[in-house]
Amino acid sequence: MPPQAPAPSGSVGGTAWRHLLLLLTGLPLALAALAFALQWRGGGVDDPTARWPPHAFPGMTDPTPPSLPSSACGEVLIASSGPSFPYLRGWSFPFDSDAGLHPKVCVQTSTSAGLDQILPWLFYHKVVGVAQFLLFVEGRAAKPQVSGVLESIPGVKVVYRTQELEEQQARSRIWNETWLAGFFYKPCNYELFVKQSLNMEMAIVMARDAGMDWIIHLDTDELLYPGGGAEYSVRHLLAEVPGDVDMVIFPNYESSVERDNIKDPFSEVSMFKKNYDHLPKDTYFGMYKEATRGNPNYFLTYGNGKSAARVQDHLRPNGAHRWHNYAKSPNEIKLEEAAVLHYTYTKFSDLTSRRDRCGCKPTKDDVKRCFMLDFDRAAFIIASTASEEEMLRWYNERVVWNDKQLNLKLLRKGVLTRIYTPMAIVQGLRESGVFTSSIAAAQSLVNAKVSLKENNVQNKNHTKLEKVSRKFIRASSQASARKILHAVEPASRDSNVSAVPPLSPPSLDNHLLELS
């Protein structure tokens, strides 16, 4: 039989490729079949879901928060009742580990709020790089159930408005100068403005003693937004400020709520109206009427921002919005992207809470004694004279942004903006259990404070405090007032600098006058 001719080389190569293709196709199928068989028998492959209850996916648990001392702030501070991913649980903020980080930033506030507002505000600012908090407390914030928790948090110093504090402030340099004199002996917002300035004066000394580099005065309805920085950090933002700058101004953005049933503004509000300083002039005045919506001004409340001051010799406050220096005119800059987010009138109850804090008559003339800004005056009159239904209708017309088409138009023009980061941080903090664990960890201190109050120690101090407090808003005579104000003469270069009050943004009427 004649020998067979060898197969062509091309035929051999094609067969090899077919075999390889079959192998690559069959191998994954075989592995999948093996895994299925092992799972079917219940062995070989560990099924993680078998370790969890049938109703919950791994990582999704129904949290059981620790009990709170009061139900008033429970809804806001505990984790949500729905499933969550608690991988942030156990967040901690070790104060000592920040010892080598510079610059050190201190935030000072004067507050009468409760834990439901203070804790999210405080821990948010810890996240963005604030090292120390100086809390001057009174009212609800000074109660043992609140102050005991605050005192237990590292980096927090609580100062009570006691008789001794007011007597000390009555002898302070500010009280004996003229630049704040226009706000003395007036009720409500004017009295608060004076208290804030006096507290800021004391806070400067405390911040310097603690080795702080910067100090910022904020209210507990304001959050710093460090936009434009390399990181979402106030510390990093201020680290980039030139050394010859004494003061940094954060223009404020104002909250624009989209419904009338907000409970937790920091977690539920994402839309803000931009400051005049962060808008083109043509856009601001071109959209002014649509952005104002019949209110007295572009913003409901103030529009001149807040400022951070470098802690240095001769520093003094210049009202709640600015700082100054006895020895020189401060060199200041205004940030182009960073801002203060002001959550003003975010809850319908804010109407009545402001009304309940002031004893003015609801007339156009009398409210001028209590409030510096037009919208505050109008809101006080409505809250004092209207029914609940009328107040809610007024609130929706003047405060709530219900018109989605208008919202979209102003968002496209840049007048309104969406900022979600603070909301995400506060929600993350809540899910981590930071708020509830802080309250639970402070219970021994709270119980001790409650026992002390039950022994009438604080009640006696409170009686004395009320008598002293009236001195700040009622002068016994004009002669005695003049004696206090002129006891110490200010430095000549500083005598003409008056305190900067909360100011409304530029108005359209003034702009039209300038053009005419």
Side-chain angles (χ1 to χ4, degrees):
M1 189 175 187
Q4 254 185 345
S9 59
S11 174
V12 175
T15 303
W17 278 109
R18 284 195 296 271
H19 290 165
L20 180 60
L21 183 60
L22 288 172
L23 178 63
L24 292 176
T25 303
L27 184 59
L29 293 175
L31 292 175
L34 176 62
F36 177 78
L38 291 173
Q39 263 192 322
W40 184 263
R41 295 201 313 267
V45 177
D46 182 26
D47 180 9
T49 61
R51 301 194 303 268
W52 296 82
H55 67 279
F57 190 80
M60 298 181 66
T61 61
D62 296 322
T64 54
S67 58
L68 301 179
S70 171
S71 60
C73 58
E75 291 184 8
V76 177
L77 295 178
I78 62 175
S80 61
S81 58
S84 61
F85 286 83
Y87 296 124
L88 301 178
R89 193 167 298 282
W91 267 14
S92 61
F93 300 88
F95 183 67
D96 294 339
S97 65
D98 294 337
L101 299 178
H102 289 279
K104 292 183 181 297
V105 182
C106 170
V107 164
Q108 181 271 333
T109 191
S110 302
T111 183
S112 59
L115 291 176
D116 55 330
Q117 182 170 323
I118 297 177
L119 286 184
W121 173 87
L122 194 152
F123 280 101
Y124 167 86
H125 284 107
K126 276 181 172 283
V127 170
V128 302
V130 174
Q132 187 177 58
F133 298 83
L134 302 175
L135 309 182
F136 287 73
V137 300
E138 57 183 303
R140 188 179 172 193
K143 293 184 179 298
Q145 293 85 349
V146 177
S147 61
V149 174
L150 298 177
E151 287 183 343
S152 71
I153 300 173
V156 175
K157 172 67 175 177
V158 177
V159 182
Y160 298 89
R161 181 152 288 277
T162 60
Q163 178 186 3
E164 290 75 18
L165 176 70
E166 294 210 357
E167 289 176 348
Q168 181 181 356
Q169 289 184 339
R171 297 189 299 270
S172 71
R173 181 169 183 174
I174 283 182
W175 189 251
N176 293 311
E177 292 177 342
T178 59
W179 57 268
L180 194 61
F183 301 89
F184 288 168
Y185 307 118
K186 295 181 180 179
C188 206
N189 276 16
Y190 290 90
E191 180 187 7
L192 174 62
F193 190 79
V194 172
K195 283 182 181 179
Q196 289 174 330
S197 300
L198 293 168
N199 293 342
M200 290 165 70
E201 182 185 42
M202 295 188 69
I204 292 171
V205 178
M206 298 168 68
R208 184 180 59 199
D209 291 344
M212 296 292 111
D213 301 300
W214 290 89
I215 184 169
I216 307 171
H217 165 76
L218 289 177
D219 296 324
T220 52
D221 63 350
E222 298 170 330
L223 298 181
L224 286 171
Y225 172 66
E231 300 179 15
Y232 196 82
S233 167
V234 175
R235 184 173 57 81
H236 280 271
L237 192 69
L238 293 176
E240 298 173 357
V241 173
D244 62 341
V245 172
D246 303 302
M247 189 167 68
V248 175
I249 297 174
F250 290 77
N252 63 294
Y253 289 7
E254 190 173 81
S255 58
S256 301
V257 298
E258 298 171 80
R259 48 190 173 85
D260 59 17
N261 59 348
I262 299 292
K263 292 184 177 180
D264 179 26
F266 295 154
S267 295
E268 300 178 51
V269 177
S270 65
M271 191 166 72
F272 297 87
K273 190 187 293 185
K274 281 188 176 182
N275 193 284
Y276 167 80
D277 290 318
H278 285 183
L279 284 173
K281 188 175 181 179
D282 292 343
T283 300
Y284 176 82
F285 288 112
M287 306 299 298
Y288 187 90
K289 289 185 177 180
E290 291 176 280
T292 304
R293 301 187 309 153
N295 287 315
N297 300 103
Y298 174 79
F299 276 163
L300 301 181
T301 51
Y302 76 89
N304 52 331
K306 290 293 182 73
S307 60
R310 197 183 295 274
V311 178
Q312 55 186 304
D313 292 340
H314 311 296
L315 178 66
R316 74 156 171 86
N318 197 29
H321 294 260
R322 293 292 185 271
W323 306 85
H324 200 67
N325 194 292
Y326 285 110
K328 63 179 180 179
S329 295
N331 180 22
E332 65 182 45
I333 62 172
K334 189 172 293 184
L335 297 175
E336 295 296 326
E337 296 180 69
V340 168
L341 304 180
H342 186 201
Y343 295 77
T344 186
Y345 287 98
T346 49
K347 295 185 287 187
F348 175 63
S349 60
D350 289 342
L351 287 179
T352 53
S353 64
R354 281 171 168 80
R355 176 199 66 193
D356 297 339
R357 289 199 301 266
C358 294
C360 289
K361 298 177 182 179
T363 63
K364 290 184 178 180
D365 291 332
D366 203 54
V367 293
K368 292 180 180 179
R369 297 190 308 110
C370 290
F371 303 99
M372 304 179 198
L373 299 172
D374 291 333
F375 186 86
D376 287 331
R377 296 167 181 170
F380 180 83
I381 292 175
I382 287 293
S384 303
T385 59
S387 65
E388 186 85 5
E389 183 179 351
E390 291 170 333
M391 287 170 54
L392 185 60
R393 183 166 57 250
W394 186 90
Y395 183 77
N396 275 278
E397 291 173 354
R398 300 300 185 92
V399 180
V400 181
W401 290 74
N402 291 312
D403 189 340
K404 293 184 178 181
Q405 292 301 318
L406 176 61
N407 297 353
L408 183 59
K409 180 180 181 180
L410 294 177
L411 283 166
R412 286 172 175 171
K413 292 290 185 178
V415 175
L416 296 177
T417 186
R418 294 282 184 184
I419 300 177
Y420 293 102
T421 309
M423 176 189 295
I425 290 176
V426 173
Q427 289 177 344
L429 287 166
R430 181 174 294 105
E431 294 298 336
S432 73
V434 167
F435 305 145
T436 51
S437 61
S438 297
I439 295 173
Q443 284 310 295
S444 59
L445 182 58
V446 169
N447 293 337
K449 283 181 167 291
V450 171
S451 299
L452 188 64
K453 185 176 181 179
E454 290 175 351
N455 291 331
N456 296 323
V457 175
Q458 291 190 5
N459 288 341
K460 293 179 181 179
N461 290 339
H462 181 68
T463 303
K464 296 178 182 179
L465 171 60
E466 288 182 342
K467 295 179 181 178
V468 177
S469 297
R470 285 193 284 271
K471 294 179 182 179
F472 283 86
I473 60 174
R474 295 189 182 96
S476 57
S477 68
Q478 291 185 354
S480 64
R482 286 194 295 269
K483 181 179 179 181
I484 292 175
L485 293 177
H486 293 284
V488 177
E489 286 293 327
S492 59
R493 73 181 67 191
D494 191 65
S495 58
N496 294 324
V497 180
S498 298
V500 177
L503 300 173
S504 297
S507 68
L508 183 60
D509 291 339
N510 291 337
H511 177 63
L512 294 176
L513 286 175
E514 292 175 1
L515 295 178
S516 60

